[in-house]
Amino acid sequence: MDRCRSLAAVLSVAVLLYVTAAYGLINPRFTPIHLVEQSALIVWVELKQGASKDEYTAAIREVLKGKTELKRLRLDLSKAADAQAAVALRDLAAAGKPALFFMGEFEDAGNQGGGAAKSRGLLHIAGKWAVFDGGEDGLWALDKIDRMLQAVWAGGTDMLRRAVDYILTDDDPAVPVTDGVSWSAGPMKAATLDGAIKSVRPVDLAGDGKLTLFVACDTGDRLLACEGAKRRLADLTAARGLRSKSHAFAWGDFAGQGRLDLISFDGKALSLHAQQADGTFQARPLDLGSVLEHGCLGLAALDAGVKGRSGLLVTGDAWPVLVAFDVDGKPSPTALSGGRIDLARLGKAGPCLVADFGGDGIGDVLAPREAGSVLFRGLGQGKFAPGVACAVKLGSSPSAACLGDFDADGRFDVLSANPDGTCVWQNEGDGKFTETLDLAGELAYAAERRGIDCMAGDINNDGRQDILIAYGAAGPRVFFNRGFRSFGFSQTLNLGLPKLLPAAEAGQQSACFSDLDGDGAQDLALALRNGEVWVAFRANDDPDRQAMMAVAILPVGGPYKGPVAVTGWIGKRCLGAWNVLPGVSHACFGRTDAGPVTLKWRLPGGKEQQKEVILENAGNVRMEIK
């Protein structure tokens, strides 16, 4: 599947795991921070071939650290220890991409033990490392292409450039080598369900910040809430009068009463389960005419332009259908269109993703399919331009996709998991996406095949978006973000390693991050293959590192029903964007120490707004977007 990779496809890289058993590919003794500190000169360069195939020039476009009178560096490839190294560097240079050149005496680059300092030139180009000797009068001789330096930074050169800028300008930069957290002993079993569990997701039923776990199951949905200091999981389903059986679902203010309602598809028909003032649900059939003639693969809530009511987006085998409910609740469906795009060539569809992909404050719709996607740009509340082709691919079915801002640039990326592996689709802006798994650190080789669910979260409260992937025949995997789309595999959050939940190793049906106990630390909810639903609570008993989280919500009863992109900032450091919808998805910005977080957002047709939130004590500080 193009450049997407699975574990088996990159076994040659996985061999390096034995170098650092506890940290995988990450060298804890030499991070990008050490690299920058020990570099006498760091320059941003462009490579061009000279008079022969062994002569290259590196034109200096910008000096990031240090001083030099040189305008260019001369690179000699003829003295490489391995002739293949010269060939590899020529291939890397042929792409014409900018590169970073680090010059200095590096004490521990590329190894795990102590080592004598050496004067070297380290070139990072197209995600690879080349080592040079010499340096007199700007002449550097190629030694080798060094895979071991991936332990310093495994990621794109553009991302390393951003990391260098961050390290040089931040008073206390951090590039994590571990997640720094763990699960509490003894995960809690919440339920055992017959039938197929379609999804587990958090919902804020009352709008008070207390999250309930919604379990969508084709034999009967469940509402599970964490109660008391012992974190007992109580089944609220009967008390709330919820009788839905969901193959697909959406939560939103569909009844227009300022409360979170459920629309459920049971495999045959839709029903609206309207939440009453006392918190119970009343169900009634929802007739959308011919909307379901192409099936129902997914449902999503969004603002459809009717004041006070959420609209509904229905994903089927054909074009997505937007359903607006008028002031009396009468549905009005409109199929989105894609001009001359041939859906059949794009393969099977997956549920649409609704978010502000363009950064203009207006929600868009991404309709992903096996071999490509269609992007519908939002023109206003409930209005969309004709769809245009988009590079994002789900891969073969069954598959899953989720949103995240993995490089913290304020744009939503897409992660997809499928039977063949994982893809990381980088949002380049203007509707362009590039697959970047090979430039995403340990995610490139530690992500398994047969992914069936995924989600972004901040599991260690450091402000960087981490990744959760659930698998149909393996234990769930958590990948912590080192920053700028470079991930490490979380050993301490591997439920199978300490045998916290051996049953999870047989596979899951769904999984999610959610702060179910409200302590500011995100927990892990799992629906196992055997029908059991479990919650692993994140340990939060370290007095020196209490979990703190700034949480931005869009009120269910507010005038705008979403989605809204909310970015967080600590000083000049962007913490990335979160996709916020009433009651079902919040923006979560963690800090590892007390201090401010600045939140920024823009509602359709309005100006950018911002507000500073101060995190001082453990737990969540909530802020409503208005």
Side-chain angles (χ1 to χ4, degrees), residues 325-381:
F325 298 95
D326 66 16
V327 292
D328 297 319
K330 182 179 179 181
S332 176
T334 303
L336 305 187
S337 62
R340 298 179 179 179
I341 296 176
D342 185 355
L343 291 181
R345 293 187 176 183
L346 298 180
K348 295 181 180 179
C352 288
L353 300 173
V354 181
D356 177 9
F357 289 102
D360 57 2
I362 302 174
D364 309 304
V365 171
L366 180 68
R369 303 178 81 94
E370 285 181 314
S373 299
V374 182
L375 178 62
F376 301 90
R377 298 177 186 270
L379 301 176
Q381 293 163 260

Side-chain angles (χ1 to χ4, degrees), residues 248-265:
F249 65 92
W251 290 89
D253 184 10
F254 301 110
Q257 299 298 314
R259 294 185 285 269
L260 199 63
D261 311 311
L262 171 70
I263 290 182
S264 171
F265 175 67

Side-chain angles (χ1 to χ4, degrees), residues 34-244:
H34 299 100
L35 174 65
V36 171
E37 289 176 345
Q38 295 179 26
S39 293
L41 183 66
I42 305 174
V43 292
W44 186 241
V45 300
E46 291 183 6
L47 270 58
K48 292 185 179 181
Q49 186 175 333
S52 74
K53 67 176 183 178
D54 289 324
E55 297 178 21
Y56 276 75
T57 60
I60 298 175
R61 300 306 183 196
E62 187 176 355
V63 177
L64 306 183
K65 180 184 178 183
K67 294 181 179 179
T68 181
E69 298 297 326
L70 297 172
K71 300 299 182 182
R72 62 184 57 82
L73 306 174
R74 292 174 292 150
L75 308 182
D76 181 2
L77 279 55
S78 66
K79 296 180 177 60
D82 182 350
Q84 290 303 313
V87 174
L89 186 58
R90 293 187 198 103
D91 290 341
L92 293 172
K97 299 292 186 180
L100 279 167
F101 209 112
F102 302 84
M103 289 156 272
E105 293 187 355
F106 304 110
E107 296 178 358
D108 201 20
N111 61 74
Q112 297 300 306
K118 290 185 177 181
S119 179
R120 287 284 180 95
L122 305 180
L123 178 73
H124 195 268
I125 179 170
K128 301 294 188 296
W129 288 96
V131 179
F132 289 81
D133 292 318
E136 293 185 10
D137 298 323
L139 177 61
W140 292 90
L142 176 64
D143 178 17
K144 59 184 175 181
I145 302 294
D146 194 344
R147 291 195 306 168
M148 298 300 293
L149 284 171
Q150 296 294 102
V152 179
W153 177 261
T157 303
D158 57 339
M159 295 293 109
L160 181 56
R161 165 63 197 267
R162 288 180 55 194
V164 170
D165 290 340
Y166 157 64
I167 293 166
L168 288 171
T169 57
D170 195 279
D171 293 334
D172 187 22
V175 182
V177 297
T178 67
D179 53 65
V181 295
S182 63
W183 303 123
S184 296
M188 300 289 290
K189 183 178 177 180
T192 301
L193 280 66
D194 295 325
I197 297 175
K198 302 299 183 179
S199 183
V200 290
R201 289 294 185 266
V203 292
D204 184 357
L205 292 177
D208 59 2
K210 296 180 180 179
L211 298 179
T212 299
L213 186 66
F214 174 67
V215 184
C217 182
D218 63 2
T219 58
D221 301 337
R222 298 289 183 91
L223 293 170
L224 307 173
C226 182
E227 297 181 343
K230 294 185 178 180
R231 296 166 166 169
R232 185 179 69 90
L233 292 161
D235 191 333
L236 308 181
T237 314
R240 292 292 191 121
L242 186 65
R243 298 180 177 84
S244 54

Side-chain angles (χ1 to χ4, degrees), residues 503-589:
E505 297 304 298
Q508 308 91 54
Q509 299 183 67
S510 181
C512 70
F513 286 135
S514 175
D515 182 9
L516 291 173
D517 57 359
D519 65 350
Q522 293 186 332
D523 311 307
L524 173 63
L526 297 169
L528 305 186
R529 287 185 62 184
N530 61 10
E532 295 176 354
V533 179
W534 289 79
V535 175
F537 293 96
R538 214 208 76 187
N540 192 19
D541 51 8
D542 184 351
D544 296 325
R545 189 174 178 176
Q546 292 287 300
M548 295 181 287
M549 192 78 78
V551 179
I553 70 166
L554 194 60
V556 174
Y560 181 57
K561 304 304 182 181
V564 176
V566 181
T567 58
W569 299 77
I570 297 178
K572 295 182 179 181
R573 173 193 162 203
C574 182
L575 305 180
W578 290 90
N579 193 43
V580 180
L581 283 159
V584 295
S585 60
H586 310 324
C588 301
F589 302 104

